[in-house]
Structure formats: C-alpha cells, structure tokens
Amino acid sequence: MRLLVSELTHRYEDLTVLDGIDLTLAEGEILAVIGPSGCGKSTLLGIAGGIVAPTAGSVRVEGAVPDGCLNPITFIFQDFALLPWRTVEDNIALVLEHHRLSAAERRERTETGLRRMGLWDFRKALPKQLSGGMRQRVGIARALAVRPAMLLLDEPLSALDAQTRELLMDDFLGLWRREKTTALYVTHNLDEALRLADRVCVLSRRPGRIRELVTIEEPRERRQEPSAQAHLAEVRERLWHLMKAEAQMADREIARA
Amino acid sequence: MPDSLPASPSAMPPARPPAGGAAGRTVAAQPVRFRGGGFTVKRHGWAALAAFAALLAVWEGVSRLGLASPLFLPPPSAVGRALAGMVADGSLWLNLKASLARIAVGWVLGTLGGMLVGFAMGIFSTARAVGVPLVSAFFPIPKIALLPLFILWFGIGEPSKFATIGFGVFFPTVIATYSAIDSVPRNLIRMAQSFGLPWGAILRSIVLPGALPGILAGFRITASIALILVVAAEMIGAEYGIGAFVLMAGNLMQTDTLLAGVLVLSLMGLAIGTVLSLLERRLLNWR
Ligand SMILES: Nc1ncnc2c1ncn2[C@@H]1O[C@H](COP(=O)(O)OP(=O)(O)OP(=O)(O)O)[C@@H](O)[C@H]1O
Ligand SMILES: [Mg+2]
C-alpha cells in the first residue's frame, strides 16, 4: 500500500506542530522518520493512522492490500499498549473479536503470530510476567494477526535495552523479508534507521518540516556486510549532522524562551 | 592572590592522583561493613497478636482488681459471656440478620445506581457537565440527616433505611466510578481505536476492566459508609438490628451486652473487608 501525504499541517490550539509535509511512501517502502523531540513525529503517525484529525492537508492510501487483511493501517506502539488484564493470546484475540471470523481462523491467526514471535509457550502469561522485549513481540504478533498493509511504528524499541533492541531489529528484518509491508518508522536511534529503513526523513525542530530525505542505497539484507560500511558511515554522518543542528537550534530556542 | 585564600598547598583541594596509582589514604584489606539495615517493613505477625492479648489482659486485670466499675467497663470475659448468651438465645442472629439485610439491599441499590450514573458521567461529557455540580452539591450532606425526611416519605419501616444507606452509598460510588474511568490509560483506548474496535467493544473490553480497580476501591469506602449508616438508622428507629440492640443495651445499662454488640459490628466490618480483599485478589490478579 502506498501512502500519500500532501501539504499536511497540524496545530494543537495555537501550537503549530507540523507544517506543510509532503511525503510519498512507495509500496513496501520503509521510511524512518527522525527529528528533535516534540517536532511532531508522533502526530504525523497519528494522522497517518487516522487517530488524529489534521488541521489542514490530506493523507491518502492506495494500492494492494494482503489477503485476509483486517486492518490495513496498523500501529506498533512504544509502550506496547497491551491490556494488562488479558493474557498474551487474549491480547491478540482482542483485535480479532469484532471481525466475523470462524473460530478456526481466529485460532490460526493468533497461533501463527505467536509462533512467529517465539511466544507460543507464553500464550497464557500476563503482560506483567514478560520482559519488555517479549511485550513488544506481543505487540508485533498482534499487528501481524490482522495482516496489515502498512505498519506505523512509533519508537517501537525506545523502551528496550540495547541487546533486546538488536534482537527485535532482527525480528523486523525477518518480517519485512517475508511481507512487503509498507512502514513508517519513527525513531530517535540512527542505528535503527540505518538497519531498517529504505529512506530516512529528517524533520526540523517544531514546527516540523521535512529537512531532508536521505536514501540508503545499500539493500537492507547487505547492510551487515563489510562492503556496505563505507556508505552507511557516510549516511550516518550526514543524518547525525542534520539531527545535531536541529537539536541544538531547538535547545537554543528553549533557552531563549 | 587575595590573602583570604590559604597559601599553603596542603589546604588546597587534593591534587589529582598520579596516573596509575591511588593517592591519599591506603586501606588495608577489610570486610565491607554492612550498613543497609532498617527502613524496611518486616512482617511480625506475632507482635500484633501479642499486643492484642496484652491489651485484653490489662483490661481484664483492671476490672478484676476493681480499678474500674464493671458497670462502666465490664471485663472482656463478661463481654464474651454476653456474646455467648446472644448466640444461645438467638438474639445475635435475629439482629444480625436484620442489619445485614438492610446493608445488602441499601448497598446494592446505591451501588447499582451509582455505577450507572458514574459510567454515564465517565463516558458522556454532557452527563458529566450536568452531573458534577449535582454530585458536588449532594455529596457533603450527612445522609443520616435525611432519615427523618425518608421516614416521612416511606414510613418508619425498611424502605426509609434502604433509602438512607442507598443514598449514602450512591454518591461516593458515582465519584469512584467516573474517576476510575478517567484513569483508564488513554493509550489503550487509542490502540483499540487504531485496530478499529467498535465503541461498544472498547467500552466492554477496555474501559470496564480498566476502571475495575478504582470501582473496587470505592466499594471499600461505600461498605464502611453502609455499616455506619445502618447502625445510625437502626438507632433512630428499628425493632431489630445490631444498632437497635446496642442502643437498647445502653438504655438498660447492660454494658457487657452493649460491648458485645459493638464487637459484632467490628467483626462485620472485618468480614466485609475480607470479602472485598478476596474479590480484589480474584479480579485484579493481573496487577
Ligand atoms: N494532544 C495534544 N494536545 C496539545 N499538544 C500536544 C498534543 N499532543 C502533542 N502535543 C504537543 O505537540 C508537539 C509535538 O508532539 P509529538 O508527540 O507529535 O512530538 P514527537 O516528535 O513525537 O516528540 P517525541 O520525540 O518526544 O516523541 C509537542 O510539543 C507536544 O507537547
Ligand atoms: Mg513521539
């Protein structure tokens, strides 16, 4: 599925958060969005997912939707957003309950998601009994259960430690190797952007505008290889430079205010 | 250099240690002294029991030694005998039954009504706009003061007591319910919306269970309110009931019987609290 964002502007009361965003995500493309804190990344994602109404401009989607897709645009959350009173499997069942599915299909979707995320043995556990990484895997399994066409990820690994983050990045890579799910991936972490994204969108400090769109030429599967490192280092340098400049200016504005 | 500053280098801050070695004092090998004691809560179940037993013993002793007139402060043994007498002649069950029935009916009515209104106020902003000022106006009224009015309306019988208890339970329940709904994490509701859950499903699967801890905490408060109100209502006008029983014993100067009634009331409060704890442990084991 393609995502077309055009002339998007958003204001909370009189705080302009996003200003004139034009963006197109190709079918199956993974776009990382980085930018200083408070520049409107989560807002952009919320608008793209239809849970925040934009002040002006439009967001449209078009294109292919996988078979059996129940929720074309699906979120994966930073805080996992699991119901603490439901077991792992019932958390996944939650997003299937309101669809007319046979009991067998319901079970099949839950089981497939759980098995793919290595959670099958933990299906009866409550979220409080799981580590952060496992909780986010439940979040991913829940998203997979509805067979999305597009994933919106809001700092999905920020609440996790570095090792767990590595493991989950591998999970995402595996996921995107199998499914050509378009994704908008908000992060603060350049490693994640460089490992996972096809392109990186750098937003300016608030009001968020697109500072630059950087394409990572190396294909995702080859980024661990030595031959890719020179290019990645170059991209990292460029992104870091852009981010630093924006963050410093944002800090200076706060200091002046 | 201003002369207020010490000239001697030894009074200056310690110099940086030379690279590779430690400067200053040398510590000979020694075990690390434990200093993490205290400031933690330890369970001493026996201590509470012992204190309780000691209190009873002192009380008993005071009465036996004639330091207090048994008319004003009967010893625990006399209270125990009075309680045994109540069990034997059936007056305990007769009065307990009457009180429990009033609490049950009044509490259930007040709770159902309160939860209904509380949910409406938690979910619909119009209901909240109307409800909050009304609740704030009625909440502070000492509900027992309305009993005479309820007696005029409903007669001296049971309904006026149900109404007093129900009314007393209603407002705290409303407040507990709508604040519990407010405290349901917004991110969970957003999540459900983002997966396309319909309104009713969000209410059933997220708002209701998410509000349950707050609602159950409210039950604890309303149960104690119901207990206070039932005693007060029974003292104003009832044939049976622990409140009436205690009042009567007081009028007859039967202090041992009076205290036995008070003991029964405390045990009722304890029993209600235990039931609620069990309920919480059962329903909120996910916390
Ligand atoms: N519902 C809201 N009402 C008012 N202001 C809001 C609301 N949501 C966000 N904001 C403000 O809008 C700005 C952008 O918020 P947003 O969450 O989109 O930023 P972000 O880029 O995701 O930040 P972070 O990196 O900290 O997650 C922030 O200054 C925030 O305080
Ligand atoms: Mg954010």
Side-chain angles (χ1 to χ4, degrees):
Chain A
M1 196 152 83
R2 308 199 311 133
L3 177 75
L4 309 148
V5 178
S6 82
E7 290 175 36
L8 185 69
T9 293
H10 191 74
R11 252 176 254 116
Y12 290 111
E13 270 100 64
D14 29 71
L15 183 75
T16 304
V17 176
L18 292 169
D19 188 16
I21 304 282
D22 281 297
L23 199 60
T24 306
L25 261 76
E27 188 98 41
E29 182 182 22
I30 294 154
L31 178 79
V33 178
I34 61 176
S37 194
C39 74
K41 302 181 294 294
S42 299
T43 306
L44 175 64
L45 226 55
I47 294 171
I51 55 173
V52 175
T55 311
S58 72
V59 177
R60 287 179 301 134
V61 288
E62 63 181 30
V65 165
D67 282 340
C69 170
L70 299 174
N71 190 50
I73 307 173
T74 296
F75 280 88
I76 291 180
F77 301 89
Q78 176 178 5
D79 60 5
F80 324 127
L82 304 178
L83 304 188
W85 51 85
R86 286 198 180 210
T87 61
V88 165
E89 63 181 357
D90 287 345
N91 260 287
I92 295 171
L94 174 81
V95 300
L96 303 174
E97 277 162 6
H98 62 289
H99 293 286
R100 298 177 160 277
L101 300 175
S102 66
E105 165 145 31
R106 219 174 287 259
R107 223 174 314 116
E108 194 271 325
R109 282 173 183 260
T110 310
E111 181 168 348
T112 311
L114 287 175
R115 286 201 188 278
R116 276 184 63 181
M117 286 296 124
L119 287 165
W120 181 245
D121 293 337
F122 298 93
R123 62 191 181 279
K124 302 278 184 216
L126 286 169
K128 70 167 178 191
Q129 297 166 307
L130 303 180
S131 69
M134 282 158 82
R135 286 183 211 181
Q136 189 56 293
R137 287 203 174 96
V138 179
I140 299 170
R142 177 177 63 190
L144 293 179
V146 296
R147 309 218 174 115
M150 180 159 71
L151 283 176
L152 302 176
L153 306 101
D154 193 352
E155 305 192 35
L157 308 183
S158 297
L160 307 175
D161 61 83
Q163 281 168 43
T164 312
R165 208 179 289 166
E166 287 292 325
L167 294 174
L168 272 137
M169 275 196 257
D170 285 340
D171 288 342
F172 281 132
L173 285 173
L175 192 157
W176 280 315
R177 210 172 298 132
R178 291 176 55 161
E179 272 105 346
K180 291 280 159 260
T181 316
T182 313
L184 203 55
Y185 189 110
V186 169
T187 180
H188 273 123
N189 185 311
L190 285 184
D191 288 324
E192 291 172 36
L194 290 166
R195 274 280 284 285
L196 303 174
D198 298 305
R199 276 193 303 163
V200 183
C201 171
V202 184
L203 289 182
S204 69
R205 66 198 187 281
R206 197 176 59 225
R209 302 191 181 99
I210 296 183
R211 263 302 300 271
E212 201 152 322
L213 276 163
V214 179
T215 306
I216 307 178
E217 306 288 354
E218 244 6 280
R220 254 195 303 286
E221 301 76 48
R222 290 224 304 269
R223 292 195 191 156
Q224 301 284 52
E225 290 170 16
S227 60
Q229 301 316 309
H231 175 64
L232 291 181
E234 191 185 306
V235 176
R236 171 189 295 272
E237 192 56 39
R238 189 139 149 243
L239 293 174
W240 174 234
H241 186 76
L242 287 165
M243 281 225 314
K244 203 165 90 179
E246 286 302 328
Q248 280 170 341
M249 275 191 274
D251 278 353
R252 238 171 275 145
E253 273 168 18
I254 290 167
R256 235 180 289 132
Chain B
M1 184 191 273
D3 46 28
S4 63
L5 273 181
S8 124
S10 65
M12 300 287 280
R16 194 179 308 183
R25 216 153 55 87
T26 314
V27 174
Q30 56 178 258
V32 174
R33 193 170 54 84
F34 174 67
R35 49 190 174 174
F39 299 103
T40 51
V41 180
K42 289 195 195 124
R43 289 176 162 274
H44 295 298
W46 52 270
L49 274 179
F52 203 67
L55 186 72
L56 285 180
V58 169
W59 178 4
E60 184 81 33
V62 164
S63 291
R64 289 274 170 97
L65 296 173
L67 296 175
S69 151
L71 184 62
F72 294 112
L73 189 68
S77 54
V79 175
R81 266 195 305 280
L83 189 63
M86 284 168 73
V87 176
D89 68 9
S91 60
L92 174 71
W93 178 234
L94 188 68
N95 290 296
L96 190 60
K97 200 169 61 177
S99 295
L100 284 178
R102 288 174 188 134
I103 291 183
V105 175
W107 185 84
V108 167
L109 285 177
T111 297
L112 286 181
M115 280 174 59
L116 218 66
V117 172
F119 264 102
M121 283 169 63
I123 294 161
F124 305 108
S125 13
T126 327
R128 172 164 313 201
V130 175
V132 169
L134 285 178
V135 170
S136 319
F138 281 100
F139 181 56
I141 299 177
K143 301 304 172 302
I144 194 66
L146 294 174
L147 181 60
L149 182 68
F150 289 147
I151 291 175
L152 287 177
W153 287 357
F154 304 119
I156 188 81
E158 297 303 303
S160 58
K161 296 179 185 64
F162 297 156
T164 308
I165 297 168
F167 208 59
V169 165
F170 176 81
F171 291 101
T173 306
V174 171
I175 293 171
T177 305
Y178 85 72
S179 5
I181 291 176
D182 285 352
S183 70
V184 175
R186 291 294 113 173
N187 66 324
L188 295 182
I189 293 175
R190 285 271 172 281
M191 178 277 293
Q193 289 176 324
S194 81
F195 278 94
L197 265 74
W199 189 82
I202 294 179
L203 221 56
R204 194 161 10 88
S205 305
I206 296 179
V207 176
L208 192 63
L212 200 58
I215 295 174
L216 286 184
F219 282 7
R220 226 169 249 290
I221 296 167
T222 55
S224 61
I225 290 175
L227 193 60
I228 293 168
L229 287 178
V230 79
V231 172
E234 287 170 350
M235 284 183 166
I236 289 176
E239 195 178 349
Y240 297 115
I242 302 290
F245 179 85
V246 167
L247 185 72
M248 175 104 81
N251 289 340
L252 299 174
M253 305 263 291
Q254 296 169 343
T255 35
D256 50 354
T257 314
L258 186 155
L259 284 175
V262 172
L263 182 63
V264 170
L265 286 171
S266 344
L267 292 178
M268 273 168 75
L270 214 61
I272 293 174
T274 309
V275 168
L276 287 175
S277 294
L278 286 176
L279 203 65
E280 282 185 349
R281 210 170 312 154
R282 220 16 221 287
L283 293 176
L284 306 180
N285 66 340
W286 48 268
R287 290 208 293 189

